[in-house]
Amino acid sequence: MLHVHHALPDSAEERPTLAEFHFGIHAQPTQDPRRIPVTLAQLGDDRRIERWSTDAPVTTGRFRDVAWADDGDYLFASLLVPPEQCADIERVTRTSYLHLDHLMRARGYPYWLRAWNYLAAITHGEGEAERYRRFNAGRYSAVGLSSGIQQNLPAASALGMDDLGSDCGGFVLSCLAGRKPGAQIENPRQVSASLYPPRYGLRSPMFARAALVPNGTGAQLLVSGTASIVGHESLHVGDPERQLEETARNFEALVDAAMRADVGRPRPSSVRLESLKVYLRNSADYANLLPRVRRLFHVDEPLVLRADICRRELLVEVEGTYALE
């Protein structure tokens, strides 16, 4: 069974650890394949990690450039590409996805459930030369041609990472995979990302708005990076407060869709937020938005990071995990 929470880096964990995301502008890789460094500054006074744990024994290892840990039901895999190798982000993305997919299948976890993509300078470049569009082209060429892929997409996030020349400042790809597939959840308020019109790029983003994953006697809802988008349009340009409110409405729609989803098992009767991560384009918005985040999402201590959002007009993005029972 999977568990996720935010904790102090040196805090004890009773359960075996599958993965730990360590944040900070000087985050560095270590010999532990479960540790995933992401060079995004944490906002606020505390310094926490995102820890994914399990009730089963964990096996870890490395295969070429991919680090991994699994427990018999789930696998975390990650790959770090240094800045000097990331000039051609389309090629790097395609190769990285194929390497992770190869490892997942070799270990017996063929189903992508959740992906995190952190790349430096995500919105640099114009038109089809923008790095986010080239990233999407690389991801599409790796996974977009698979049969039935548009009905089996993972939840995902793609954020702009601070690049200070560290060993992991270029591109970080991490994924959660399973022996069994999750259920793709789409938002009725939004156009599915894979069906975006060409104005957002010749290759659409290949991800689901959320993934519903069996977990013990219940399920986990893995919510993708979500922003102030209705249909396919960005709303409330220049207004971070209203963008946050629109994002909260999108979260509510996804949770409602998940609670109603027919996945061949009894529908859940309760939902509990396990973790919430907030990305802000502008650090100066932190003090004003934090009380609103707490109120809108009913959370005491969200993890808040400074990051570039994949559309230049978007100022806030939120991702989270819910336990459904």
Side-chain angles (χ1 to χ4, degrees):
M1 185 170 176
L2 284 173
H3 310 269
V4 56
H5 66 283
H6 298 143
L8 294 175
D10 297 326
S11 61
E13 176 61 59
E14 295 180 358
R15 304 182 184 96
T17 298
L18 265 177
E20 288 184 349
F21 288 88
H22 287 247
F23 302 98
I25 59 174
H26 299 297
Q28 293 289 327
T30 68
Q31 294 302 310
D32 189 341
R34 298 170 298 177
R35 178 167 174 163
I36 305 162
V38 181
T39 55
L40 293 179
Q42 288 194 51
L43 303 180
D45 295 331
D46 64 332
R47 292 294 175 265
R48 288 176 292 159
I49 61 174
E50 181 171 291
R51 178 178 289 150
W52 291 72
S53 57
T54 176
D55 296 326
V58 170
T59 302
T60 66
R62 295 182 183 273
F63 179 74
R64 296 180 180 175
D65 50 356
V66 180
W68 58 268
D70 66 22
D71 72 344
D73 290 313
Y74 303 101
L75 173 141
F76 255 94
S78 61
L79 187 151
L80 317 177
V81 185
E84 61 271 16
Q85 297 178 19
C86 288
D88 186 346
I89 195 64
E90 179 177 347
R91 179 189 61 79
V92 165
T93 302
R94 180 180 184 276
T95 300
S96 298
Y97 266 81
L98 291 175
H99 283 188
L100 258 64
D101 192 70
H102 176 78
L103 182 277
M104 288 159 46
R105 293 178 185 278
R107 296 290 304 171
Y109 302 86
Y111 298 104
W112 290 76
L113 303 175
R114 183 66 164 89
W116 292 265
N117 305 272
Y118 297 102
L119 56 151
I122 190 170
T123 56
H124 286 203
E126 300 298 327
E128 287 303 308
E130 183 189 65
R131 280 171 62 82
Y132 180 59
R133 296 193 183 200
R134 301 324 314 149
F135 159 80
N136 279 327
R139 177 166 57 177
Y140 184 93
S141 66
V143 305
L145 301 180
S146 301
S147 176
I149 187 63
Q150 291 189 355
Q151 289 74 47
N152 293 281
L153 290 168
S157 303
L159 282 305
M161 188 168 54
D162 292 323
D163 182 5
L164 301 181
S166 71
D167 290 340
C168 53
F171 180 52
V172 176
L173 170 60
S174 183
C175 77
L176 171 66
R179 293 202 186 278
K180 298 178 181 180
Q184 181 172 331
I185 302 296
E186 292 298 326
N187 187 344
R189 305 182 77 237
Q190 296 178 316
V191 173
S192 297
S194 62
L195 301 179
Y196 275 174
R199 62 183 277 196
Y200 299 103
L202 297 179
R203 294 300 188 191
S204 295
M206 300 298 291
F207 70 93
R209 299 297 184 184
L212 189 59
V213 178
N215 196 35
T217 59
Q220 268 190 331
L221 180 66
L222 312 177
V223 180
S224 298
T226 303
S228 178
I229 296 173
V230 175
H232 56 74
E233 301 276 358
S234 302
L235 299 188
H236 314 304
V237 175
D239 190 331
E241 292 89 352
R242 294 182 67 192
Q243 286 194 18
L244 179 65
E245 292 169 358
E246 199 70 64
T247 301
R249 285 190 280 271
N250 281 329
F251 258 65
E252 292 171 0
L254 282 167
V255 171
D256 184 65
M259 296 290 281
R260 296 171 181 271
D262 184 0
V263 293
R265 58 191 299 172
R267 290 182 178 175
S269 59
S270 66
V271 59
R272 172 176 54 85
L273 180 66
E274 285 189 300
S275 68
L276 193 80
K277 193 148 70 253
V278 181
Y279 302 98
L280 299 182
R281 180 179 294 277
N282 300 316
S283 301
D285 290 332
Y286 173 78
N288 184 39
L289 291 185
L290 182 60
R292 290 173 167 83
V293 171
R294 290 170 171 160
R295 173 176 55 83
L296 290 167
F297 293 91
H298 309 289
V299 60
D300 292 329
E301 295 299 333
L303 184 63
V304 186
L305 303 168
R306 212 303 305 169
D308 292 330
I309 318 299
C310 64
R311 294 187 187 181
R312 300 174 194 185
E313 69 274 13
L314 292 175
L315 304 173
V316 182
E317 183 166 313
V318 183
E319 65 181 62
T321 305
Y322 290 86
L324 277 59
E325 299 174 348

